[in-house]
Amino acid sequence: PFVQRVVIVLKVKGIDYEIEYIDLAVPPDWFLAISPLKKVPLLIVDNSTIFESSVINEYIDEAFPINKLHPEGLLLKAQNRSWMEFSNAIFMSTFRLTMNESQAEFEQTLSTQRKDFDQLEKNLINQPFFNGDDFSLVDATYAPTFQRLDYLHQLHGAVFDKKRHPRIVKWKNKLLSLPEVKNSCVP
């Protein structure tokens, strides 16, 4: 999902790129030598390495200023970064939903996630995207998590509560309908 965030930004901006897939269970030596956190994604530019998806996406947005995905205003940019950071909590609860070993654990994790969604819902006032009419880095950050939650919703039902979180459901549906999101991961 973290690599997918970067791929979405590259696709939205129309930037050519190459991906080298690695097995994180047995990472190659070259990867271990350049990845301080031993995680993906990494972006290699001019023999320099950038890591962490949000940092990579901000670099891409600034290096390729066509179709800016981060707002210009200092306060709005900081708020966007805050909501991008918040997405990590939602992603981690999504991951736990896939790993829960009992229905009770699943329900407890889902309850926690819905409380996080309550926070997001009341702050999601612009539509169709997070900041309004234009796709942003916040949208690219949430799309992979929404995709995984949509898979879980198809398997378990009731992951998304349309009455409790109507703005999130509408936003999720918009993001998942975009070709850049649909084509951002392998089948």
Side-chain angles (χ1 to χ4, degrees):
F2 301 103
V3 174
Q4 189 180 5
R5 292 173 175 179
V6 174
V7 171
I8 291 168
V9 167
L10 290 165
K11 287 186 173 298
V12 166
K13 287 186 154 285
I15 300 169
D16 289 332
Y17 61 94
E18 293 179 27
I19 292 182
E20 183 161 343
Y21 294 96
I22 64 166
D23 181 351
L24 286 175
V26 187
D29 290 337
W30 68 263
F31 173 80
L32 294 173
I34 65 172
S35 180
L37 298 175
K38 313 304 182 226
K39 300 187 304 187
V40 293
L42 295 177
L43 177 64
I44 302 171
V45 179
D46 298 331
N47 295 319
S48 294
T49 303
I50 304 168
F51 53 96
E52 288 298 313
S53 61
S54 61
V55 177
I56 292 168
N57 280 345
E58 286 197 39
Y59 170 82
I60 292 168
D61 197 43
E62 290 178 21
F64 299 89
I66 298 171
N67 189 19
K68 292 290 285 179
L69 301 178
H70 225 354
E72 291 298 323
L74 190 58
L75 179 59
L76 186 55
K77 188 181 288 188
Q79 289 171 326
N80 275 225
R81 285 183 178 127
S82 295
W83 287 109
M84 290 162 57
E85 181 63 29
F86 187 75
S87 76
N88 293 329
I90 292 174
F91 174 76
M92 289 312 298
S93 62
T94 299
F95 178 72
R96 283 191 298 280
L97 286 172
T98 67
M99 304 300 287
N100 289 142
E101 295 184 12
S102 71
Q103 185 67 28
E105 288 177 5
F106 184 88
E107 293 299 328
Q108 177 58 44
T109 303
L110 187 58
S111 175
T112 300
Q113 186 173 68
R114 285 184 173 155
K115 289 175 186 170
D116 287 342
F117 275 168
D118 291 343
Q119 294 296 313
L120 183 58
E121 178 75 18
K122 69 182 178 184
N123 287 282
L124 188 62
I125 55 176
N126 299 310
Q127 294 285 327
F129 298 110
F130 188 83
N131 289 323
D133 291 332
D134 298 317
F135 187 89
S136 72
L137 292 179
V138 179
D139 300 302
T141 301
Y142 279 86
T145 300
F146 288 160
Q147 186 181 56
R148 283 148 183 81
L149 285 170
D150 214 40
Y151 296 150
L152 283 173
H153 188 81
Q154 292 170 27
L155 292 172
H156 296 283
V159 172
F160 290 104
D161 185 336
K162 291 179 183 180
K163 290 182 182 175
R164 185 171 174 175
H165 305 120
R167 293 176 183 154
I168 291 173
V169 170
K170 186 176 179 182
W171 181 38
K172 174 209 47 116
N173 291 341
K174 176 66 176 176
L175 292 176
L176 297 185
S177 73
L178 298 174
E180 296 86 353
V181 173
K182 288 180 180 180
N183 299 320
S184 63
C185 58
V186 296

CSV table of all heavy atoms in Angstrom, one decimal, residues 129-185:
chain,number,residue,atom,x,y,z
A,129,PHE,N,-13.0,15.5,-3.6
A,129,PHE,CA,-11.8,15.0,-3.1
A,129,PHE,C,-11.5,15.7,-1.7
A,129,PHE,O,-12.4,16.5,-1.3
A,129,PHE,CB,-10.6,15.4,-4.0
A,129,PHE,CG,-10.7,14.7,-5.3
A,129,PHE,CD1,-11.0,15.4,-6.5
A,129,PHE,CD2,-10.5,13.3,-5.5
A,129,PHE,CE1,-11.1,14.8,-7.7
A,129,PHE,CE2,-10.6,12.7,-6.7
A,129,PHE,CZ,-10.9,13.4,-7.8
A,130,PHE,N,-10.5,15.4,-1.1
A,130,PHE,CA,-10.2,15.8,0.3
A,130,PHE,C,-10.2,17.4,0.4
A,130,PHE,O,-10.8,18.0,1.3
A,130,PHE,CB,-8.9,15.3,0.8
A,130,PHE,CG,-8.7,15.6,2.3
A,130,PHE,CD1,-9.3,14.8,3.3
A,130,PHE,CD2,-7.9,16.7,2.7
A,130,PHE,CE1,-9.1,15.1,4.6
A,130,PHE,CE2,-7.8,17.0,4.0
A,130,PHE,CZ,-8.4,16.2,5.0
A,131,ASN,N,-9.6,18.0,-0.6
A,131,ASN,CA,-9.5,19.5,-0.6
A,131,ASN,C,-10.5,20.1,-1.5
A,131,ASN,O,-10.5,21.3,-1.7
A,131,ASN,CB,-8.1,19.9,-1.0
A,131,ASN,CG,-7.0,19.6,0.0
A,131,ASN,OD1,-7.3,19.7,1.2
A,131,ASN,ND2,-5.9,19.3,-0.4
A,132,GLY,N,-11.4,19.4,-2.1
A,132,GLY,CA,-12.4,19.9,-3.0
A,132,GLY,C,-12.4,19.3,-4.3
A,132,GLY,O,-12.4,18.1,-4.5
A,133,ASP,N,-12.3,20.2,-5.4
A,133,ASP,CA,-12.4,19.7,-6.7
A,133,ASP,C,-11.1,19.0,-7.3
A,133,ASP,O,-11.2,18.3,-8.3
A,133,ASP,CB,-12.7,20.9,-7.7
A,133,ASP,CG,-14.1,21.4,-7.4
A,133,ASP,OD1,-15.0,20.6,-7.0
A,133,ASP,OD2,-14.3,22.6,-7.7
A,134,ASP,N,-10.0,19.2,-6.6
A,134,ASP,CA,-8.7,18.7,-7.2
A,134,ASP,C,-8.1,17.6,-6.3
A,134,ASP,O,-8.1,17.7,-5.1
A,134,ASP,CB,-7.7,19.9,-7.3
A,134,ASP,CG,-8.2,21.0,-8.2
A,134,ASP,OD1,-8.7,20.6,-9.3
A,134,ASP,OD2,-8.0,22.1,-7.8
A,135,PHE,N,-7.7,16.6,-7.0
A,135,PHE,CA,-7.0,15.4,-6.4
A,135,PHE,C,-5.7,16.0,-5.7
A,135,PHE,O,-5.0,16.8,-6.2
A,135,PHE,CB,-6.6,14.4,-7.5
A,135,PHE,CG,-6.0,13.1,-6.9
A,135,PHE,CD1,-6.9,12.1,-6.6
A,135,PHE,CD2,-4.7,13.0,-6.8
A,135,PHE,CE1,-6.3,10.9,-6.2
A,135,PHE,CE2,-4.1,11.8,-6.3
A,135,PHE,CZ,-5.0,10.7,-6.0
A,136,SER,N,-5.4,15.4,-4.5
A,136,SER,CA,-4.3,15.9,-3.7
A,136,SER,C,-3.5,14.7,-3.2
A,136,SER,O,-3.9,13.5,-3.3
A,136,SER,CB,-4.8,16.7,-2.5
A,136,SER,OG,-5.4,15.9,-1.5
A,137,LEU,N,-2.4,15.0,-2.5
A,137,LEU,CA,-1.5,14.0,-1.9
A,137,LEU,C,-2.3,13.3,-0.8
A,137,LEU,O,-2.1,12.1,-0.5
A,137,LEU,CB,-0.3,14.6,-1.3
A,137,LEU,CG,0.7,15.1,-2.3
A,137,LEU,CD1,2.0,15.7,-1.6
A,137,LEU,CD2,1.2,14.0,-3.3
A,138,VAL,N,-3.2,13.9,-0.1
A,138,VAL,CA,-4.1,13.3,0.9
A,138,VAL,C,-4.9,12.2,0.2
A,138,VAL,O,-5.0,11.1,0.7
A,138,VAL,CB,-5.0,14.3,1.6
A,138,VAL,CG1,-5.9,13.6,2.6
A,138,VAL,CG2,-4.2,15.4,2.3
A,139,ASP,N,-5.5,12.4,-0.9
A,139,ASP,CA,-6.3,11.4,-1.7
A,139,ASP,C,-5.4,10.2,-2.0
A,139,ASP,O,-5.8,9.1,-1.9
A,139,ASP,CB,-6.9,12.1,-2.9
A,139,ASP,CG,-7.8,13.2,-2.6
A,139,ASP,OD1,-8.7,13.1,-1.8
A,139,ASP,OD2,-7.5,14.3,-3.1
A,140,ALA,N,-4.2,10.5,-2.5
A,140,ALA,CA,-3.3,9.4,-2.9
A,140,ALA,C,-2.9,8.6,-1.7
A,140,ALA,O,-2.7,7.4,-1.8
A,140,ALA,CB,-2.0,10.0,-3.5
A,141,THR,N,-2.9,9.2,-0.5
A,141,THR,CA,-2.5,8.5,0.7
A,141,THR,C,-3.6,7.6,1.2
A,141,THR,O,-3.3,6.5,1.7
A,141,THR,CB,-2.1,9.5,1.8
A,141,THR,OG1,-1.0,10.3,1.3
A,141,THR,CG2,-1.7,8.9,3.1
A,142,TYR,N,-4.8,8.0,1.1
A,142,TYR,CA,-5.9,7.2,1.6
A,142,TYR,C,-6.4,6.1,0.6
A,142,TYR,O,-7.0,5.1,1.0
A,142,TYR,CB,-7.1,8.1,2.0
A,142,TYR,CG,-7.0,8.7,3.3
A,142,TYR,CD1,-6.3,9.9,3.5
A,142,TYR,CD2,-7.5,8.1,4.5
A,142,TYR,CE1,-6.1,10.5,4.8
A,142,TYR,CE2,-7.4,8.7,5.7
A,142,TYR,CZ,-6.7,9.9,5.9
A,142,TYR,OH,-6.5,10.4,7.1
A,143,ALA,N,-6.2,6.3,-0.7
A,143,ALA,CA,-6.8,5.4,-1.7
A,143,ALA,C,-6.4,3.9,-1.5
A,143,ALA,O,-7.3,3.1,-1.6
A,143,ALA,CB,-6.4,5.9,-3.1
A,144,PRO,N,-5.1,3.6,-1.2
A,144,PRO,CA,-4.8,2.2,-1.0
A,144,PRO,C,-5.5,1.6,0.2
A,144,PRO,O,-5.9,0.4,0.1
A,144,PRO,CB,-3.3,2.2,-0.8
A,144,PRO,CG,-2.8,3.4,-1.5
A,144,PRO,CD,-3.9,4.4,-1.3
A,145,THR,N,-5.7,2.3,1.2
A,145,THR,CA,-6.4,1.8,2.4
A,145,THR,C,-7.8,1.6,2.1
A,145,THR,O,-8.4,0.5,2.4
A,145,THR,CB,-6.2,2.7,3.6
A,145,THR,OG1,-4.8,2.9,3.9
A,145,THR,CG2,-7.0,2.2,4.8
A,146,PHE,N,-8.4,2.5,1.4
A,146,PHE,CA,-9.9,2.4,1.0
A,146,PHE,C,-10.0,1.2,0.1
A,146,PHE,O,-11.0,0.4,0.2
A,146,PHE,CB,-10.4,3.6,0.3
A,146,PHE,CG,-10.6,4.8,1.2
A,146,PHE,CD1,-10.7,6.1,0.7
A,146,PHE,CD2,-10.8,4.6,2.6
A,146,PHE,CE1,-10.9,7.2,1.5
A,146,PHE,CE2,-11.0,5.7,3.4
A,146,PHE,CZ,-11.1,7.0,2.9
A,147,GLN,N,-9.1,0.9,-0.8
A,147,GLN,CA,-9.1,-0.2,-1.7
A,147,GLN,C,-9.1,-1.5,-0.8
A,147,GLN,O,-10.0,-2.4,-1.1
A,147,GLN,CB,-8.0,-0.2,-2.6
A,147,GLN,CG,-8.0,-1.3,-3.7
A,147,GLN,CD,-6.8,-1.3,-4.6
A,147,GLN,OE1,-5.7,-1.3,-4.1
A,147,GLN,NE2,-7.1,-1.1,-5.9
A,148,ARG,N,-8.3,-1.6,0.1
A,148,ARG,CA,-8.2,-2.8,1.0
A,148,ARG,C,-9.4,-3.0,1.8
A,148,ARG,O,-10.0,-4.1,2.0
A,148,ARG,CB,-6.9,-2.8,1.8
A,148,ARG,CG,-5.7,-3.2,1.0
A,148,ARG,CD,-4.4,-2.5,1.4
A,148,ARG,NE,-3.3,-2.9,0.5
A,148,ARG,CZ,-3.1,-2.3,-0.7
A,148,ARG,NH1,-3.9,-1.4,-1.1
A,148,ARG,NH2,-2.1,-2.7,-1.4
A,149,LEU,N,-10.0,-1.8,2.3
A,149,LEU,CA,-11.2,-1.9,3.1
A,149,LEU,C,-12.4,-2.3,2.2
A,149,LEU,O,-13.3,-3.0,2.7
A,149,LEU,CB,-11.5,-0.6,3.8
A,149,LEU,CG,-10.6,-0.2,5.0
A,149,LEU,CD1,-10.8,1.2,5.4
A,149,LEU,CD2,-10.9,-1.2,6.1
A,150,ASP,N,-12.4,-1.9,1.0
A,150,ASP,CA,-13.4,-2.3,0.1
A,150,ASP,C,-13.4,-3.8,-0.2
A,150,ASP,O,-14.4,-4.5,-0.2
A,150,ASP,CB,-13.2,-1.5,-1.3
A,150,ASP,CG,-14.6,-1.2,-1.9
A,150,ASP,OD1,-15.5,-0.9,-1.2
A,150,ASP,OD2,-14.6,-1.3,-3.2
A,151,TYR,N,-12.2,-4.4,-0.3
A,151,TYR,CA,-12.0,-5.8,-0.4
A,151,TYR,C,-12.6,-6.5,0.9
A,151,TYR,O,-13.4,-7.5,0.8
A,151,TYR,CB,-10.6,-6.3,-0.5
A,151,TYR,CG,-9.9,-5.8,-1.8
A,151,TYR,CD1,-8.5,-5.6,-1.7
A,151,TYR,CD2,-10.5,-5.6,-3.0
A,151,TYR,CE1,-7.8,-5.2,-2.9
A,151,TYR,CE2,-9.9,-5.2,-4.1
A,151,TYR,CZ,-8.5,-5.0,-4.1
A,151,TYR,OH,-7.8,-4.6,-5.2
A,152,LEU,N,-12.3,-6.0,2.0
A,152,LEU,CA,-12.8,-6.6,3.3
A,152,LEU,C,-14.3,-6.4,3.4
A,152,LEU,O,-15.0,-7.3,3.8
A,152,LEU,CB,-12.2,-5.9,4.5
A,152,LEU,CG,-10.8,-6.3,4.8
A,152,LEU,CD1,-10.2,-5.4,6.0
A,152,LEU,CD2,-10.8,-7.8,5.3
A,153,HIS,N,-14.8,-5.3,2.9
A,153,HIS,CA,-16.3,-5.0,2.9
A,153,HIS,C,-17.0,-6.1,2.0
A,153,HIS,O,-18.1,-6.6,2.4
A,153,HIS,CB,-16.6,-3.6,2.4
A,153,HIS,CG,-18.0,-3.2,2.5
A,153,HIS,ND1,-18.5,-2.8,3.7
A,153,HIS,CD2,-19.0,-3.2,1.6
A,153,HIS,CE1,-19.8,-2.5,3.5
A,153,HIS,NE2,-20.1,-2.7,2.2
A,154,GLN,N,-16.4,-6.4,0.9
A,154,GLN,CA,-16.9,-7.4,0.0
A,154,GLN,C,-17.0,-8.8,0.7
A,154,GLN,O,-17.9,-9.6,0.5
A,154,GLN,CB,-16.2,-7.5,-1.3
A,154,GLN,CG,-16.3,-6.3,-2.2
A,154,GLN,CD,-15.4,-6.2,-3.4
A,154,GLN,OE1,-14.9,-7.3,-3.9
A,154,GLN,NE2,-15.0,-5.0,-3.8
A,155,LEU,N,-15.9,-9.1,1.5
A,155,LEU,CA,-15.9,-10.4,2.2
A,155,LEU,C,-16.7,-10.5,3.4
A,155,LEU,O,-17.4,-11.5,3.7
A,155,LEU,CB,-14.4,-10.7,2.6
A,155,LEU,CG,-13.4,-10.9,1.4
A,155,LEU,CD1,-12.0,-11.0,2.0
A,155,LEU,CD2,-13.8,-12.2,0.7
A,156,HIS,N,-16.7,-9.4,4.2
A,156,HIS,CA,-17.4,-9.4,5.5
A,156,HIS,C,-18.6,-8.6,5.6
A,156,HIS,O,-19.4,-8.8,6.5
A,156,HIS,CB,-16.4,-8.9,6.6
A,156,HIS,CG,-15.2,-9.8,6.8
A,156,HIS,ND1,-15.3,-11.0,7.4
A,156,HIS,CD2,-13.9,-9.7,6.3
A,156,HIS,CE1,-14.1,-11.6,7.4
A,156,HIS,NE2,-13.3,-10.8,6.8
A,157,GLY,N,-18.8,-7.6,4.7
A,157,GLY,CA,-19.9,-6.7,4.8
A,157,GLY,C,-19.7,-5.8,6.0
A,157,GLY,O,-18.8,-6.0,6.8
A,158,ALA,N,-20.4,-4.7,6.0
A,158,ALA,CA,-20.5,-3.8,7.2
A,158,ALA,C,-19.2,-3.2,7.6
A,158,ALA,O,-19.0,-2.7,8.7
A,158,ALA,CB,-21.1,-4.5,8.3
A,159,VAL,N,-18.1,-3.2,6.7
A,159,VAL,CA,-16.9,-2.4,7.1
A,159,VAL,C,-17.2,-0.9,7.0
A,159,VAL,O,-16.8,-0.2,7.9
A,159,VAL,CB,-15.7,-2.8,6.2
A,159,VAL,CG1,-14.5,-2.0,6.5
A,159,VAL,CG2,-15.4,-4.3,6.5
A,160,PHE,N,-17.9,-0.5,5.9
A,160,PHE,CA,-18.2,0.9,5.8
A,160,PHE,C,-19.7,1.1,6.2
A,160,PHE,O,-20.6,0.3,5.9
A,160,PHE,CB,-18.1,1.3,4.3
A,160,PHE,CG,-16.7,1.4,3.8
A,160,PHE,CD1,-16.2,0.4,3.0
A,160,PHE,CD2,-15.9,2.4,4.2
A,160,PHE,CE1,-14.9,0.5,2.6
A,160,PHE,CE2,-14.6,2.5,3.8
A,160,PHE,CZ,-14.1,1.5,3.0
A,161,ASP,N,-19.9,2.1,7.1
A,161,ASP,CA,-21.2,2.4,7.5
A,161,ASP,C,-21.7,3.7,6.8
A,161,ASP,O,-21.2,4.8,7.1
A,161,ASP,CB,-21.2,2.7,9.0
A,161,ASP,CG,-22.5,2.9,9.7
A,161,ASP,OD1,-23.5,3.4,8.9
A,161,ASP,OD2,-22.7,2.7,10.9
A,162,LYS,N,-22.5,3.5,5.8
A,162,LYS,CA,-22.9,4.6,4.9
A,162,LYS,C,-23.7,5.7,5.7
A,162,LYS,O,-23.6,6.9,5.3
A,162,LYS,CB,-23.8,4.1,3.8
A,162,LYS,CG,-23.1,3.3,2.8
A,162,LYS,CD,-24.0,2.8,1.7
A,162,LYS,CE,-23.2,1.9,0.7
A,162,LYS,NZ,-24.1,1.4,-0.4
A,163,LYS,N,-24.4,5.3,6.7
A,163,LYS,CA,-25.2,6.3,7.5
A,163,LYS,C,-24.2,7.1,8.4
A,163,LYS,O,-24.4,8.3,8.6
A,163,LYS,CB,-26.3,5.6,8.3
A,163,LYS,CG,-27.4,5.1,7.4
A,163,LYS,CD,-28.5,4.5,8.2
A,163,LYS,CE,-29.6,3.9,7.2
A,163,LYS,NZ,-30.6,3.2,8.0
A,164,ARG,N,-23.3,6.4,9.0
A,164,ARG,CA,-22.4,7.0,10.0
A,164,ARG,C,-21.3,7.9,9.3
A,164,ARG,O,-20.9,8.9,9.8
A,164,ARG,CB,-21.8,5.9,10.9
A,164,ARG,CG,-20.9,6.5,12.0
A,164,ARG,CD,-20.5,5.3,12.9
A,164,ARG,NE,-19.5,5.7,13.9
A,164,ARG,CZ,-19.1,4.9,14.9
A,164,ARG,NH1,-19.6,3.7,15.0
A,164,ARG,NH2,-18.3,5.3,15.8
A,165,HIS,N,-20.9,7.4,8.1
A,165,HIS,CA,-19.7,8.0,7.4
A,165,HIS,C,-20.1,8.3,5.9
A,165,HIS,O,-19.3,7.8,5.1
A,165,HIS,CB,-18.5,7.2,7.5
A,165,HIS,CG,-18.1,6.9,9.0
A,165,HIS,ND1,-18.0,5.6,9.4
A,165,HIS,CD2,-17.8,7.7,10.0
A,165,HIS,CE1,-17.7,5.6,10.7
A,165,HIS,NE2,-17.6,6.9,11.1
A,166,PRO,N,-21.1,9.0,5.6
A,166,PRO,CA,-21.5,9.2,4.2
A,166,PRO,C,-20.5,9.9,3.4
A,166,PRO,O,-20.3,9.6,2.2
A,166,PRO,CB,-22.8,10.0,4.3
A,166,PRO,CG,-22.8,10.7,5.6
A,166,PRO,CD,-22.0,9.7,6.5
A,167,ARG,N,-19.8,10.9,4.0
A,167,ARG,CA,-18.8,11.6,3.2
A,167,ARG,C,-17.6,10.7,2.9
A,167,ARG,O,-17.0,10.7,1.8
A,167,ARG,CB,-18.3,12.8,4.0
A,167,ARG,CG,-19.3,13.9,4.2
A,167,ARG,CD,-18.8,15.0,5.0
A,167,ARG,NE,-19.8,16.0,5.3
A,167,ARG,CZ,-19.7,16.8,6.3
A,167,ARG,NH1,-18.8,16.7,7.2
A,167,ARG,NH2,-20.7,17.7,6.5
A,168,ILE,N,-17.2,9.9,3.8
A,168,ILE,CA,-16.1,8.9,3.6
A,168,ILE,C,-16.4,8.0,2.5
A,168,ILE,O,-15.6,7.7,1.6
A,168,ILE,CB,-15.6,8.2,4.9
A,168,ILE,CG1,-15.0,9.2,5.8
A,168,ILE,CG2,-14.7,7.1,4.5
A,168,ILE,CD1,-14.7,8.7,7.2
A,169,VAL,N,-17.6,7.4,2.5
A,169,VAL,CA,-18.1,6.4,1.5
A,169,VAL,C,-18.1,7.1,0.2
A,169,VAL,O,-17.6,6.5,-0.8
A,169,VAL,CB,-19.4,5.8,1.9
A,169,VAL,CG1,-20.0,5.0,0.8
A,169,VAL,CG2,-19.3,5.0,3.2
A,170,LYS,N,-18.6,8.3,0.1
A,170,LYS,CA,-18.6,9.0,-1.2
A,170,LYS,C,-17.2,9.3,-1.7
A,170,LYS,O,-16.9,9.1,-2.9
A,170,LYS,CB,-19.4,10.3,-1.1
A,170,LYS,CG,-19.6,11.0,-2.4
A,170,LYS,CD,-20.5,12.3,-2.1
A,170,LYS,CE,-20.7,13.0,-3.4
A,170,LYS,NZ,-21.5,14.3,-3.2
A,171,TRP,N,-16.3,9.7,-0.8
A,171,TRP,CA,-14.9,10.0,-1.2
A,171,TRP,C,-14.2,8.7,-1.6
A,171,TRP,O,-13.5,8.7,-2.6
A,171,TRP,CB,-14.3,10.6,0.0
A,171,TRP,CG,-12.8,11.0,-0.1
A,171,TRP,CD1,-12.2,11.5,-1.2
A,171,TRP,CD2,-11.8,10.9,0.9
A,171,TRP,NE1,-10.9,11.8,-0.9
A,171,TRP,CE2,-10.6,11.4,0.4
A,171,TRP,CE3,-11.8,10.4,2.2
A,171,TRP,CZ2,-9.4,11.5,1.1
A,171,TRP,CZ3,-10.6,10.5,3.0
A,171,TRP,CH2,-9.5,11.0,2.4
A,172,LYS,N,-14.4,7.6,-0.8
A,172,LYS,CA,-13.8,6.3,-1.2
A,172,LYS,C,-14.3,5.9,-2.6
A,172,LYS,O,-13.4,5.5,-3.4
A,172,LYS,CB,-14.2,5.3,-0.1
A,172,LYS,CG,-13.8,3.9,-0.6
A,172,LYS,CD,-14.6,2.8,-0.1
A,172,LYS,CE,-16.1,2.8,-0.2
A,172,LYS,NZ,-16.7,1.8,-1.1
A,173,ASN,N,-15.5,6.0,-2.9
A,173,ASN,CA,-16.1,5.6,-4.2
A,173,ASN,C,-15.5,6.4,-5.3
A,173,ASN,O,-15.1,5.8,-6.4
A,173,ASN,CB,-17.6,5.6,-4.2
A,173,ASN,CG,-18.2,4.6,-3.3
A,173,ASN,OD1,-17.6,3.6,-2.9
A,173,ASN,ND2,-19.5,4.8,-2.9
A,174,LYS,N,-15.3,7.7,-5.1
A,174,LYS,CA,-14.7,8.6,-6.1
A,174,LYS,C,-13.3,8.1,-6.3
A,174,LYS,O,-12.8,8.0,-7.5
A,174,LYS,CB,-14.8,10.0,-5.6
A,174,LYS,CG,-14.1,11.0,-6.6
A,174,LYS,CD,-14.7,11.1,-7.9
A,174,LYS,CE,-14.1,12.1,-8.8
A,174,LYS,NZ,-14.6,12.1,-10.2
A,175,LEU,N,-12.5,8.0,-5.3
A,175,LEU,CA,-11.1,7.6,-5.4
A,175,LEU,C,-10.9,6.2,-6.1
A,175,LEU,O,-10.1,6.1,-7.0
A,175,LEU,CB,-10.4,7.5,-4.0
A,175,LEU,CG,-10.2,8.9,-3.3
A,175,LEU,CD1,-9.6,8.6,-2.0
A,175,LEU,CD2,-9.4,9.8,-4.2
A,176,LEU,N,-11.7,5.3,-5.7
A,176,LEU,CA,-11.6,3.9,-6.3
A,176,LEU,C,-12.1,3.8,-7.7
A,176,LEU,O,-11.8,2.9,-8.4
A,176,LEU,CB,-12.3,2.9,-5.4
A,176,LEU,CG,-11.8,2.7,-4.0
A,176,LEU,CD1,-12.5,1.6,-3.3
A,176,LEU,CD2,-10.3,2.5,-4.0
A,177,SER,N,-12.8,4.9,-8.2
A,177,SER,CA,-13.2,4.9,-9.6
A,177,SER,C,-12.2,5.5,-10.5
A,177,SER,O,-12.3,5.3,-11.7
A,177,SER,CB,-14.5,5.7,-9.7
A,177,SER,OG,-14.3,7.1,-9.6
A,178,LEU,N,-11.2,6.1,-10.0
A,178,LEU,CA,-10.2,6.7,-10.8
A,178,LEU,C,-9.3,5.7,-11.5
A,178,LEU,O,-8.8,4.8,-10.8
A,178,LEU,CB,-9.3,7.7,-10.0
A,178,LEU,CG,-10.0,8.8,-9.3
A,178,LEU,CD1,-9.0,9.6,-8.4
A,178,LEU,CD2,-10.6,9.8,-10.3
A,179,PRO,N,-9.0,5.9,-12.8
A,179,PRO,CA,-8.1,4.9,-13.5
A,179,PRO,C,-6.7,4.9,-12.9
A,179,PRO,O,-6.1,3.8,-12.8
A,179,PRO,CB,-8.0,5.5,-14.9
A,179,PRO,CG,-9.1,6.5,-15.0
A,179,PRO,CD,-9.5,6.9,-13.7
A,180,GLU,N,-6.2,6.0,-12.3
A,180,GLU,CA,-4.9,6.1,-11.7
A,180,GLU,C,-4.8,5.2,-10.5
A,180,GLU,O,-3.8,4.6,-10.2
A,180,GLU,CB,-4.5,7.5,-11.4
A,180,GLU,CG,-4.3,8.4,-12.6
A,180,GLU,CD,-5.6,9.1,-13.0
A,180,GLU,OE1,-6.7,8.7,-12.5
A,180,GLU,OE2,-5.6,9.9,-13.9
A,181,VAL,N,-5.9,5.1,-9.8
A,181,VAL,CA,-6.0,4.2,-8.6
A,181,VAL,C,-6.2,2.8,-9.0
A,181,VAL,O,-5.5,1.9,-8.5
A,181,VAL,CB,-7.1,4.7,-7.6
A,181,VAL,CG1,-7.3,3.7,-6.5
A,181,VAL,CG2,-6.8,6.1,-7.1
A,182,LYS,N,-7.2,2.6,-10.0
A,182,LYS,CA,-7.4,1.2,-10.4
A,182,LYS,C,-6.2,0.5,-11.0
A,182,LYS,O,-6.0,-0.7,-10.8
A,182,LYS,CB,-8.5,1.2,-11.5
A,182,LYS,CG,-9.9,1.5,-11.0
A,182,LYS,CD,-10.9,1.5,-12.2
A,182,LYS,CE,-12.3,1.8,-11.7
A,182,LYS,NZ,-13.2,1.8,-12.9
A,183,ASN,N,-5.3,1.3,-11.7
A,183,ASN,CA,-4.2,0.8,-12.3
A,183,ASN,C,-2.9,1.0,-11.5
A,183,ASN,O,-1.8,0.8,-12.1
A,183,ASN,CB,-4.0,1.5,-13.7
A,183,ASN,CG,-5.2,1.2,-14.6
A,183,ASN,OD1,-5.7,0.1,-14.6
A,183,ASN,ND2,-5.6,2.2,-15.3
A,184,SER,N,-3.0,1.2,-10.2
A,184,SER,CA,-1.8,1.5,-9.4
A,184,SER,C,-1.2,0.3,-8.8
A,184,SER,O,-0.2,0.4,-8.1
A,184,SER,CB,-2.2,2.5,-8.3
A,184,SER,OG,-3.1,2.0,-7.5
A,185,CYS,N,-1.8,-0.9,-9.0
A,185,CYS,CA,-1.2,-2.1,-8.4
A,185,CYS,C,-1.5,-3.3,-9.4
A,185,CYS,O,-2.3,-3.2,-10.3
A,185,CYS,CB,-1.8,-2.4,-7.0
A,185,CYS,SG,-3.6,-2.6,-7.0
